[in-house]
Amino acid sequence: MAIVSVANQKGGVGKTTLTVNLSAALTSRGKKVLVVDTDPQGNATTSLIGLEDLDTTLLEVVMDDADVDSAIISVEKSFGTIHLLPAPPDLALANIEIEGAGTLSYMKDILHPIKNSYDYILIDTPPSVSSLMLSSLIASDGVIVPLQAEFLALEGLSQMWKLMETIRNGMNPFLELIGVVINMWDPRTILARQVLEEVKRVLGDKAFETVIPRTVRVAEAPSHTMTLLEYAPDSKATTAFLQLAEEFHRRCREMFQGVNEA
Ligand SMILES: Nc1ncnc2c1ncn2[C@@H]1O[C@H](COP(=O)(O)OP(=O)(O)OP(=O)(O)O)[C@@H](O)[C@H]1O
Ligand SMILES: [Mg+2]
């Protein structure tokens, strides 16, 4: 059992795509997964359930107006059930109220009591160093960082690295980097190949072996409220997410005691 944040303060690198499709891949392999959407943009929530009016979201749970279990939605898929703690639809309000929620341990207080009910809790975080992002990192056992294979990708990574160090020196000394995943990989561009080589050279085995290719299928799937596994089961990207799920599970099993053998 592990709580994992998908984080990179750089926007649009694939945090939400990775959270949703890695969760789907793990679910299809028999793991019980909870997706927690902490991004006020609510992209993971809309990817999984579309634009629905929700009475109970993460906001009500943070504000102590609802019990966490009552906010979790079961999303039935052909390959299994993904569990979702949705983001609040009233974005502006959510930010203000959550910023005002006091100490940064609120995500830990919410997630630790339910941790043993899931194999993995994957948190989609927003593209900024906000209270929600910090609180998610403080609640987490590990972090996955998606990286787009482009110019300056490694700059963003060094910022992420510093942020993790700060968290480790403060409220969560046990935070582990599970790995960095290259997303939107296009082998036809020289730049992408250079970024991949650079990432492997700098990070060594902290770079996941699996890279996620750029394909239009990935971007299309959420508009159909589908994960890639349903929308394009034969796509190269789907194969990549399934392979990433295996690699992720193997790494977590080695890193965290108490992760179920399977
Ligand atoms: N492998 C891929 N191939 C093609 N398109 C992709 C791929 N990964 C992500 N995208 C698209 O790129 C855009 C950004 O991805 P995503 O929303 O997952 O990033 P993000 O890091 O969560 O963004 P934000 O920082 O705004 O939360 C989306 O439109 C998504 O569909
Ligand atoms: Mg996102």
Side-chain angles (χ1 to χ4, degrees):
M1 296 128 195
I3 302 178
V4 176
S5 282
V6 179
N8 187 336
Q9 66 275 57
K10 201 164 173 350
V13 293
K15 295 180 286 295
T16 303
T17 301
L18 184 68
T19 308
V20 168
N21 290 298
L22 178 59
S23 297
L26 288 163
T27 301
S28 78
R29 292 293 185 258
K31 301 285 173 264
K32 189 174 175 190
V33 182
L34 173 66
V35 173
V36 181
D37 190 356
T38 66
D39 186 349
Q41 297 178 103
N43 294 339
T45 302
T46 15
S47 299
L48 284 168
I49 59 167
L51 289 164
E52 266 189 46
D53 281 338
L54 298 167
D55 293 331
T56 314
T57 68
L58 177 62
L59 175 62
E60 285 70 34
V61 180
V62 172
M63 299 316 290
D64 255 345
D65 290 335
D67 174 65
V68 61
D69 286 317
S70 73
I72 294 172
I73 299 170
S74 296
V75 186
E76 308 296 342
K77 297 290 185 187
S78 53
F79 51 81
T81 304
I82 302 178
H83 305 269
L84 169 70
L85 178 51
D90 193 343
L91 315 182
L93 178 73
N95 253 341
I96 294 160
E97 295 202 30
I98 292 175
E99 299 289 342
T103 76
L104 287 173
S105 61
Y106 58 89
M107 287 303 294
K108 185 172 172 177
D109 297 340
I110 293 168
L111 296 179
H112 279 222
I114 58 168
K115 184 177 171 183
N116 288 346
S117 306
Y118 298 93
D119 295 308
Y120 291 109
I121 298 180
L122 293 187
I123 310 177
D124 185 23
T125 67
S128 59
V129 185
S130 60
S131 113
L132 275 161
M133 193 235 206
L134 294 172
S135 188
S136 298
L137 292 179
I138 289 163
S140 293
D141 301 296
V143 182
I144 308 186
V145 182
L147 211 66
Q148 194 177 337
E150 56 167 19
F151 182 56
L152 293 183
L154 285 161
E155 289 287 305
L157 191 61
S158 73
Q159 286 170 26
M160 194 61 221
W161 200 259
K162 282 181 200 141
L163 180 61
M164 285 185 65
E165 267 311 300
T166 310
I167 302 270
R168 273 196 210 107
N169 292 330
M171 287 183 74
N172 183 3
F174 304 109
L175 186 65
E176 296 261 16
L177 176 64
I178 299 170
V180 172
V181 191
I182 303 243
N183 183 29
M184 305 193 216
W185 163 250
D186 183 349
R188 289 168 304 182
T189 70
I190 294 171
L191 182 62
R193 288 205 301 271
Q194 284 171 343
V195 172
L196 180 64
E197 270 170 31
E198 183 70 1
V199 165
K200 294 216 158 148
R201 189 181 64 76
V202 174
L203 293 170
D205 63 4
K206 283 295 178 194
F208 277 100
E209 287 295 323
T210 311
V211 296
I212 310 294
R214 179 191 286 277
T215 126
V216 68
R217 294 291 194 203
V218 175
E220 287 169 354
S223 64
H224 301 272
T225 327
M226 283 185 186
T227 63
L228 207 56
L229 207 55
E230 305 152 274
Y231 183 67
D234 300 326
S235 151
K236 272 188 301 194
T238 306
T239 310
F241 279 114
L242 288 168
Q243 194 184 317
L244 183 70
E246 303 274 329
E247 217 187 328
F248 168 81
H249 179 58
R250 199 165 57 233
R251 284 183 184 216
C252 286
R253 218 170 41 192
E254 285 163 10
M255 258 174 204
F256 309 118
Q257 284 181 342
V259 174
N260 293 337
E261 291 289 324

